[in-house]
Amino acid sequence: MNFLFFLQSFLFLIFPAFSSEELIYFPDGSIEARGDVEFESEDFLFSSESITFDKESASFYSESLIEAKSGNLVFILDGIYGEFDDQTEMIKKLTSNKFTLKIKSEEKFSSVWNFSGDDFIYSDGLWSFKNINFGNWQPVTKSGLLIRSKTCTLQKITNDLYRLNFENVDFYVLSKKVFSLDSLQREFRSNEDFGNILSFAPVIQNHPDEGSMLGFKLQDFGVFGGFLSGYLSLSESGKSELFFDGKLPLQKDSYFSLGLGSVFEVGKDGKGYWVSSSPSYSFNRSFKKKDEEINVKFSAGRFSLNDGNLFHATGSAATYKKTFENFVLRSGFSRFKNNQSAYESLHGSISFPFDFPKGSIVLGFGSRDVSGLHPIPSRQEYSWSGPVLSSIFSFSENWAFRTNSEWDINDETFITNQITLIRSFNGLGLSLIFDTKQKLTSFSIELLSF
């Protein structure tokens, strides 16, 4: 009886968060925990219906289904064997024959995806897998976009930043193999949407100046590290423009961006402008702590409006964000200049987020003060102060709407009032956007996004 008490005390000592409905002692010195078993190490929180602990070998094992949480990562393991260090309370090694990985994304209405494979091994902060199926449709082998990989490793870089390394990768679209790669690397933050390895979206717009416009958008193609985007637009008036933006990672939380081409912009008055760059480039740097974030951007380039003369312009911007328990503070400054004029903008806001079972609302108050003349008309005359309201709600399993509105207390008119209707499928998103101020209607179909 004293020996049993010793073993039970040992479990609570190694795993302070240990709990179960029943403990069964065996003559070989092991203990089986049954019924809502839960215990926590420094790296994982384990949940199962049955887990057996063996003090002699400093190990634990189970043939039941195991849920192992590490931050926002949730592994579903088909049986498990683990070894722990009774000095550091850390898991030294963890293995399982089959697994499924889920990420609890904080992004609402992100596409459903699946990550599963064989030979799960965790050791010294590194996960290793084999025979990976990574896709966004159910079942993943018959439709949508699917990545298959012979081997894969998952490494935790910082508190919430992870890196995936795939080896011998095959890409499938609608069950057809389209190309292969020797290796593929992808970084993601566990509290963000894991998606956007490949996003291709046809976009249809209607604007009073240009008439009907057809666009094709490609962004975050994972083969290039998630740092390539492009947009092709064709208008009823005969304009055809192509814009590419490539980002080169320099170090942690910084990258260099190079853009080339033209984009269509809409001003506050609803008038449309074609803005071309030949080329433009920028340097972006972020500094992040637990509840603070600073972003700095330096940019320069040669631009033109509606096929007019090119002008050279440079600029910089800095933004600061502080998150408190119930509200968020933001502030920022930007300056943009050319040979003849300069444009400066100072802005700040306070917002209060409210989460509901089927959506969220953000209510805030913001202010933006502008001085000088920006060379691009669509970026002028944005000085305002007033309330801000944005929301996103699901009114059925796959339907949702999003709103974004700003009021100006000086002239009591909408600065922005945008309404979006969303239809979500696994790997397929339909959206209809109408801007009441700019009188711009957009319809897009986003395919193969995960």
Side-chain angles (χ1 to χ4, degrees):
M1 191 71 177
N2 292 332
F3 186 59
L4 174 60
F5 177 77
F6 170 76
L7 287 177
Q8 293 174 343
S9 301
F10 168 77
L11 290 178
F12 285 96
L13 202 61
I14 297 300
F15 307 114
F18 177 85
S19 65
S20 70
E21 294 180 354
E22 184 180 10
L23 288 175
I24 300 176
Y25 164 71
F26 293 97
D28 62 0
S30 61
I31 292 180
E32 182 182 359
R34 294 180 180 177
D36 294 330
V37 183
E38 187 172 285
F39 69 92
E40 186 174 6
S41 70
E42 185 173 326
D43 296 327
F44 292 94
L45 174 63
F46 296 92
S47 302
S48 181
E49 284 300 310
S50 174
I51 301 179
T52 301
F53 299 87
D54 190 333
K55 182 181 183 300
E56 294 299 324
S57 60
S59 65
F60 59 95
Y61 60 90
S62 174
E63 296 181 357
S64 303
L65 217 58
I66 301 283
E67 183 180 83
K69 298 181 181 178
S70 179
N72 281 359
L73 306 182
V74 181
F75 294 95
I76 308 299
L77 306 173
D78 188 8
I80 193 175
Y81 175 81
E83 298 176 0
F84 55 83
D85 188 326
D86 55 2
Q87 299 296 324
T88 63
E89 300 182 10
M90 294 183 65
I91 304 298
K92 292 196 301 184
K93 188 175 182 180
L94 206 61
T95 62
S96 181
N97 292 330
K98 294 183 180 297
F99 79 95
T100 300
L101 171 62
K102 299 179 180 178
I103 294 180
K104 289 186 175 180
S105 172
E106 295 179 2
E107 296 288 334
K108 292 182 173 62
F109 307 107
S110 60
S111 56
V112 178
W113 55 271
N114 306 271
F115 190 114
S116 60
D118 302 327
D119 295 343
F120 171 97
I121 299 176
Y122 172 80
S123 180
D124 296 326
L126 181 69
W127 290 268
S128 300
F129 319 117
K130 291 183 179 179
N131 301 323
I132 296 299
N133 283 330
F134 188 17
N136 68 323
W137 283 59
Q138 217 24 302
V140 295
T141 56
K142 294 185 178 180
S143 56
L145 174 64
L146 172 69
I147 291 179
R148 285 180 172 170
S149 176
K150 293 294 185 183
T151 61
C152 174
T153 59
L154 173 63
Q155 182 181 7
K156 190 173 185 178
I157 307 301
T158 62
N159 185 45
D160 69 336
L161 181 64
Y162 294 82
R163 178 180 295 143
L164 275 168
N165 286 286
F166 299 94
E167 300 292 337
N168 299 321
V169 187
D170 295 326
F171 284 75
Y172 292 79
V173 176
L174 301 177
S175 76
K176 302 296 183 182
K177 183 177 175 180
V178 291
F179 62 91
S180 300
L181 294 172
D182 292 335
S183 62
L184 169 65
Q185 184 181 98
R186 177 70 173 174
E187 290 187 355
F188 67 96
R189 296 192 179 276
S190 62
N191 62 342
E192 298 174 351
D193 187 4
F194 189 71
N196 296 330
I197 283 186
L198 175 60
S199 176
F200 176 74
V203 180
I204 301 174
Q205 292 183 326
N206 183 66
H207 189 268
D209 291 345
E210 296 297 324
S212 299
M213 293 185 292
L214 176 63
F216 298 93
K217 180 174 64 176
L218 171 71
Q219 68 180 50
D220 279 346
F221 194 35
V223 174
F224 302 97
F227 285 101
L228 176 68
S229 62
Y231 191 86
L232 169 66
S233 60
L234 310 170
S235 71
E236 188 178 352
S237 64
K239 293 284 291 186
S240 299
E241 301 294 342
L242 177 65
F243 184 83
F244 275 103
D245 181 25
K247 297 180 178 65
L248 174 66
L250 300 177
Q251 56 182 345
K252 180 179 177 292
D253 294 327
S254 67
Y255 63 87
F256 177 80
S257 177
L258 178 66
L260 180 65
S262 181
V263 295
F264 181 74
E265 294 199 3
V266 182
K268 172 185 172 182
D269 56 0
K271 185 174 178 58
Y273 303 88
W274 294 94
V275 182
S276 301
S277 60
S278 179
S280 64
Y281 53 90
S282 64
F283 170 75
N284 298 261
R285 183 75 168 97
S286 298
F287 307 89
K288 298 179 181 179
K289 293 183 179 180
K290 182 177 181 181
D291 53 5
E292 291 181 290
E293 181 176 341
I294 298 175
N295 290 285
V296 180
K297 179 179 180 180
F298 302 93
S299 59
R302 292 171 61 83
F303 303 89
S304 69
L305 293 175
N306 293 330
D307 298 326
N309 295 328
L310 287 170
F311 57 89
H312 184 80
T314 59
S316 60
T319 59
Y320 173 77
K321 176 184 175 182
K322 172 76 171 179
T323 302
F324 297 89
E325 184 176 355
N326 298 315
F327 64 95
V328 179
L329 286 177
R330 292 180 177 87
S331 62
F333 172 80
S334 62
R335 191 171 193 271
F336 197 88
K337 66 178 182 178
N338 60 10
N339 294 332
Q340 298 178 347
S341 62
Y343 167 95
E344 294 181 350
S345 176
L346 180 65
H347 62 272
S349 68
I350 179 172
S351 58
F352 301 86
F354 300 93
D355 290 322
F356 302 94
K358 291 189 176 182
S360 64
I361 292 177
V362 177
L363 177 64
F365 186 91
S367 178
R368 184 185 296 113
D369 296 316
V370 177
S371 61
L373 185 64
H374 197 286
I376 300 177
S378 62
R379 303 178 192 178
Q380 294 176 12
E381 300 177 2
Y382 267 83
S383 296
W384 68 276
S385 297
V388 179
L389 175 65
S390 62
S391 67
I392 180 169
F393 277 95
S394 172
F395 53 87
S396 74
E397 183 177 356
N398 295 310
W399 287 92
F401 72 91
R402 179 187 286 117
T403 64
N404 183 26
S405 301
E406 295 177 348
W407 288 268
D408 191 339
I409 60 177
N410 299 315
D411 60 14
E412 298 181 354
T413 61
F414 277 116
I415 298 299
T416 302
N417 185 32
Q418 193 174 81
I419 302 171
T420 305
L421 184 65
I422 304 168
R423 176 67 168 98
S424 177
F425 302 89
N426 282 350
L428 174 63
L430 307 178
S431 64
L432 176 65
I433 304 173
F434 179 65
D435 194 309
T436 59
K437 184 67 178 179
Q438 298 176 350
K439 297 181 176 59
L440 179 64
T441 303
S442 300
F443 176 76
S444 67
I445 304 173
E446 189 169 349
L447 300 171
L448 310 182
S449 173
F450 80 105

